[in-house]
Amino acid sequence: MTKSGSCLELNGVTKSFMGVVAVNDVTFQLERGEILGLIGPNGAGKTTLFNVITKLSSPDSGTIRFQGQDITQLRPHQVNRLGIARTFQNIRLLDELSVLDNVMTAYSPRVKTTKIGCILNLPAYRTEEKTLRERAYELLEKGNLADKAGIEAGSLAYADQRRLEIARAMATGPELLLLDEPTAGMSATEAMELTEYLADLHEIGINLLIIGHDMRFIMGLCQRIVVLNYGRIIATGKPEDIQGNEEVIKAYLGGSHHATSGRA
Amino acid sequence: MERAGNSLPFPRSFLVILLLLILVVVAAQVFTTRYSQHILNMFGIYVILSLGLDVALGWTGLVHLAPAAFYGMGAYASALWVLRVMPGVWYGYWISLPVVLILNAALGYLLALPALRLRGLYFAIATLGFGELVRSVLVNWVSLTGGPYGLKGIPRPYVGTFAITSTSHFLYLIFALALAVGVVLFRLSRGPSGRAWMGIREDEIAATTLGIDVNRGKAEALAVSAAISGLAGWLFAPYVSYLSPSNFTLDESIIILCMVIIGGRGTIWGPVVGAALLVLAPELLRGLAQYRLLIYGVLLCATMVVRPRGLLGRLRR
């Protein structure tokens, strides 16, 4: 459709914090229909890169394009409205709200009826709310959370919280979903179920960018992997190529690499 | 919003509203002395004030310490409109209602613009400054506000030729509006705006990545909160017929704050219970008048320790 055909395109993105370069001249593309993995040792700058893409922090230099549109100057809520949703490594749910309301909150910037319609409880408003609630329940069902819709999100079990965060992100109607360590704290079975769920999302046309530490999960799910170390891309390629890449093995097992150049 | 299990032919909220209306009428018959009706009326006004503050404080998580400033602006705007802009016209008072609401909402929104660059305590201090600013304008702009002497002789409202004069007339007016505010806020709290505001309270960063414009949400919440506080002022001015800047000081804001926190922030009924407690308490503790603020302080501390989410707030899991 657009010139590049890419879904997401990063060009020379650099971000530093008080002299520490967390993301250094990162350039890569996420093609349409792709599941891209982002791996690297602790402090490699993966989460910082997510924050830059979702504009929670602004890059010092470089450009970010989404569906051909430059989003480098946008604010985070605008980025989301264009179709990028994310989850967080350390889970950010709306703890005191119910599981259902966590998902419903994601609809709130996209409703058509006004406050007046809500105050007067107009039929159009009630119909819209009903539709949204049904859609929210559908998302919760996919995440095996429908029976927990009424309880406080903060009291969910860890794996449930992760799945709720994904369901909530999906409620924003994204084309690109960024997942920051979605399997952290999950059992092997739960990780398997999540893999299937994510594969389903991919089926319906959602592009995925996934940070992961669980190599079996990442290698099994992603078509292509970008490896980050000290803020720089040290390798890009298919899972099997990455597994044999010497640079990558060195980064993970600690070779004679420059250990002083900083960490995020 | 019909829920499962509701077999009534109308939403359950109608039943609640009807019961509350009956309660108001009964209360007006039971409490017949001027004194007891005055207490009820002040309770009604504080219900509106604490509900209004709760939109900012409890729903959106903004530590807003100047509800009394918006209360005062509403009261003075209503009085000045009737005294200066449309004197001697019976409907002047009623026209001043939308004026007060719009003025207060606009000022709430305007306060939000600079103040929202600040977070947490810094935002609280900015609202403190705003409260002080309004108070000093009321004190010093003598030609408009009468300065420290206040505004005297605010006329009673009329409906045609019928004068709303007695405390029981006001009782119906005040509680009708308190009920209306309650219904409006209940619906907003269950709707998209309420959810967005609560999302901002729970986690700003999560909210913004869900597409919620956090600054706009906060500004809207402040505007709604300010308009409701203004409504209370609009009722208060003709009811007491005399306004002085000392009605709208920081002390007043703190009392409203206590009502919300003690009753349970972020709930609709909490502020109502808080208002009932803190309006009744000083009457029951008349002999201890000079310890009033001390008692509030102790009550507040006790609530924070025993029920941090307020009397009607849910217990921590």
Side-chain angles (χ1 to χ4, degrees), chain B residues 119-200:
Chain B
R119 259 155 229 278
L121 276 180
Y122 300 97
F123 173 80
I125 291 168
T127 62
L128 263 185
F130 178 78
E132 204 43 34
L133 187 95
V134 169
R135 196 195 60 85
S136 58
V137 167
L138 294 183
V139 171
N140 293 307
W141 194 348
V142 179
S143 62
L144 185 74
T145 66
Y149 304 110
L151 282 177
K152 285 188 272 293
I154 301 161
R156 298 303 179 122
Y158 277 80
V159 180
T161 53
F162 175 77
I164 299 177
T165 48
S166 72
T167 41
S168 65
H169 293 161
F170 271 102
L171 194 145
Y172 289 114
L173 180 62
I174 289 170
F175 278 91
L177 284 169
L179 197 56
V181 167
V183 170
V184 164
L185 291 188
F186 177 78
R187 288 194 174 149
L188 276 180
S189 75
R190 298 295 173 94
S193 316
R195 283 194 292 264
W197 295 340
M198 290 179 213
I200 292 169

Side-chain angles (χ1 to χ4, degrees), chain B residues 236-293:
Chain B
F236 182 71
Y239 175 57
V240 294
S241 83
Y242 166 71
L243 295 178
S244 134
S246 62
N247 292 124
F248 309 108
T249 56
L250 178 62
D251 281 2
E252 189 71 13
S253 289
I254 299 294
I255 289 170
I256 302 166
L257 192 81
C258 289
M259 290 173 175
V260 174
I261 304 230
I262 290 171
R265 58 192 191 280
T267 63
I268 298 282
W269 286 105
V272 177
V273 170
L277 258 175
L278 291 196
V279 170
L280 276 179
E283 300 306 322
L284 300 175
L285 304 169
R286 274 216 147 199
L288 307 166
Q290 69 267 46
Y291 300 115
R292 205 174 60 147
L293 282 175

